[in-house]
């Protein structure tokens, strides 16, 4: 890989809730041991986040609760508005256009055709009033697929691929276990074979045995489809199993980044060392 091979290039990504002042960034972060501005109470969820993601790569984002890791992917998926920064995606206009400058119409196009998201809570990614197949159909229809037979065939194929019994395609996700709900959500997220998939704490709240099956499924999908992924987790075990490189976030800032194996075997930052020691 070279610097010109990137799929996604993020620079200076910042998200601040509330009304910051001129010193809000300086007065928050790991050195200040807080992401809350002492002067105004503004919350600096992310500050000056910069990284490149390469085709077929799985990038981990790890940190404790409140570190800004979920906010990061929510900004990139347009669930939230960025305060500052830019993101360029080679799947759109060969990377010439800043994603955050897009109109709402073009943002919908990017979400429906080029991105997938799997949320921690399946209720955020699935409509529990629709059947499992209907949820996948919704994603396909939003991307312009209109042939009912083809949509149903595609939905059945995806559910089978993610180990959801096709016989249950017409049942609603509320009748499924948590692990099966996540697998339906994964099916929906990859329905249009997006080049980039976001995974936000997808194993949190699942039993250990179910976690293992979901993680195996994600590895299988990445291997077969070559989808680039950004995996958000507080669990270094998940990061170790899935990712090639890792960003470590604390109080909204990147404190360490590098190859996942290197970070786990020889962490440099004191916070990363603490995370790794908790894994052992």
């Amino acid at each position: 890989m070279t610097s010109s091979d990137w799929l996604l290039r993020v620079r200076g990504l910042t998200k601040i809730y509330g009304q910051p002042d001129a010193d809000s960034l300086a007065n928050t972060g790991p050195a200040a041991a807080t992401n809350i501005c002492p002067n105004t109470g503004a919350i600096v969820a992310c500050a000056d986040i910069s990284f490149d993601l390469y085709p077929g790569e799985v990038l981990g984002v790890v940190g404790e609760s409140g570190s800004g890791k979920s906010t990061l992917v929510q900004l990139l998926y347009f669930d939230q508005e960025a305060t500052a920064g830019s993101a360029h995606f080679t799947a759109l206009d060969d990377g010439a256009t800043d994603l955050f400058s897009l109109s709402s119409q073009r943002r919908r196009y990017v979400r429906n055709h080029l991105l997938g998201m799997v949320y921690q809570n399946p209720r955020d990614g699935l409509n529990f009033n629709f059947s499992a197949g209907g949820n996948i159909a919704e994603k396909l229809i939003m991307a312009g697929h209109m042939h009912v037979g083809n949509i149903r065939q595609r939905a059945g194929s995806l559910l089978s691929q993610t180990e959801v019994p096709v016989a249950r395609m017409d049942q609603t996700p509320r009748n499924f276990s948590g692990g099966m709900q996540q697998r339906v959500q994964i099916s929906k997220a990859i329905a249009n074979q997006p080049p980039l998939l976001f995974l936000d704490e997808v194993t949190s709240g699942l039993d250990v045995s179910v976690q293992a099956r979901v993680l195996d499924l994600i590895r299988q999908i990445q291997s077969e489809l070559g989808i680039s992924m950004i995996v958000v987790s507080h669990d270094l075990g998940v990061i170790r199993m899935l990712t090639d490189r890792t960003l470590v976030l604390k109080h909204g800032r990147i404190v360490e980044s590098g190859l996942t194996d290197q970070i786990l075997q020889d962490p440099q930052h004191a916070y990363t060392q603490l995370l790794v020691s908790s894994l052992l």
Side-chain angles (χ1 to χ4, degrees):
M1 293 183 298
T2 68
S3 60
S4 61
D5 292 334
W6 56 272
L7 174 72
L8 176 70
R9 173 160 286 173
V10 175
R11 293 292 183 270
L13 183 56
T14 299
K15 175 64 178 179
I16 303 175
Y17 300 99
Q19 296 297 321
D21 62 15
D23 297 321
S24 290
L25 291 178
N27 290 335
T28 57
T34 184
N35 63 352
I36 302 175
C37 176
N39 299 328
T40 69
I43 299 173
V44 182
C46 290
D48 197 27
I49 302 293
S50 299
F51 64 89
D52 290 346
L53 177 72
Y54 297 92
E57 183 181 36
V58 182
L59 179 69
V61 183
V62 69
E64 61 193 347
S65 179
S67 63
K69 57 189 187 299
S70 290
T71 300
L72 170 60
V73 293
Q74 290 167 11
L75 292 170
L76 294 171
Y77 196 60
F78 307 123
D79 280 341
Q80 299 191 47
E81 290 284 338
T83 302
S86 64
H88 295 263
F89 187 28
T90 59
L92 180 77
D93 301 336
D94 291 325
T97 304
D98 178 9
L99 293 179
F100 301 134
S101 72
L102 296 176
S103 66
S104 58
Q105 181 180 6
R106 292 206 79 196
R107 289 187 181 199
R108 284 193 298 271
Y109 171 84
V110 172
R111 276 179 62 120
N112 293 333
H113 291 79
L114 304 177
L115 300 175
M117 169 71 94
V118 183
Y119 295 93
Q120 175 179 352
N121 187 338
R123 289 185 177 274
D124 293 329
L126 297 173
N127 186 327
F128 275 40
N129 294 317
F130 290 1
S131 67
N135 271 277
I136 297 171
E138 179 186 33
K139 181 78 171 181
L140 291 168
I141 290 168
M142 286 164 57
H145 298 271
M146 294 300 170
H147 190 285
V148 174
N150 291 344
I151 289 174
R152 188 168 179 83
Q153 182 178 25
R154 174 68 173 154
S157 175
L158 285 161
L159 291 172
S160 177
Q161 182 180 357
T162 55
E163 300 180 357
V164 177
V166 178
R168 302 189 67 179
M169 183 166 66
D170 296 321
Q171 297 180 24
T172 61
R174 65 167 51 90
N175 297 317
F176 297 168
S177 66
M180 192 177 293
Q181 288 173 355
Q182 284 296 50
R183 294 198 295 275
V184 173
Q185 202 185 174
I186 291 169
S187 295
K188 180 178 181 179
I190 65 172
N192 293 320
Q193 296 183 306
L196 178 54
L197 181 64
F198 302 120
L199 302 168
D200 187 5
E201 298 278 16
V202 295
T203 59
S204 293
L206 300 179
D207 292 339
V208 173
S209 61
V210 178
Q211 285 185 27
R213 291 180 64 189
V214 170
L215 292 174
D216 283 340
L217 171 63
I218 293 167
R219 289 179 67 181
Q220 176 188 338
I221 288 171
Q222 202 284 326
S223 175
E224 292 177 354
L225 302 181
I227 298 175
S228 296
M229 298 181 179
I230 297 180
V231 178
V232 167
S233 182
H234 68 279
D235 186 341
L236 275 177
V238 171
I239 295 298
R240 178 173 58 186
M241 182 174 181
L242 294 181
T243 69
D244 305 305
R245 284 191 303 125
T246 296
L247 309 178
V248 182
L249 265 61
K250 183 174 176 62
H251 295 307
R253 273 73 164 185
I254 296 174
V255 296
E256 189 165 352
S257 64
L259 295 175
T260 299
D261 287 346
Q262 291 179 348
I263 283 181
L264 293 179
Q265 292 171 12
D266 187 25
Q268 300 299 303
H269 193 276
Y271 176 65
T272 313
Q273 293 170 358
L274 182 63
L275 289 178
V276 172
S277 67
S278 69
L279 177 66
L280 301 175

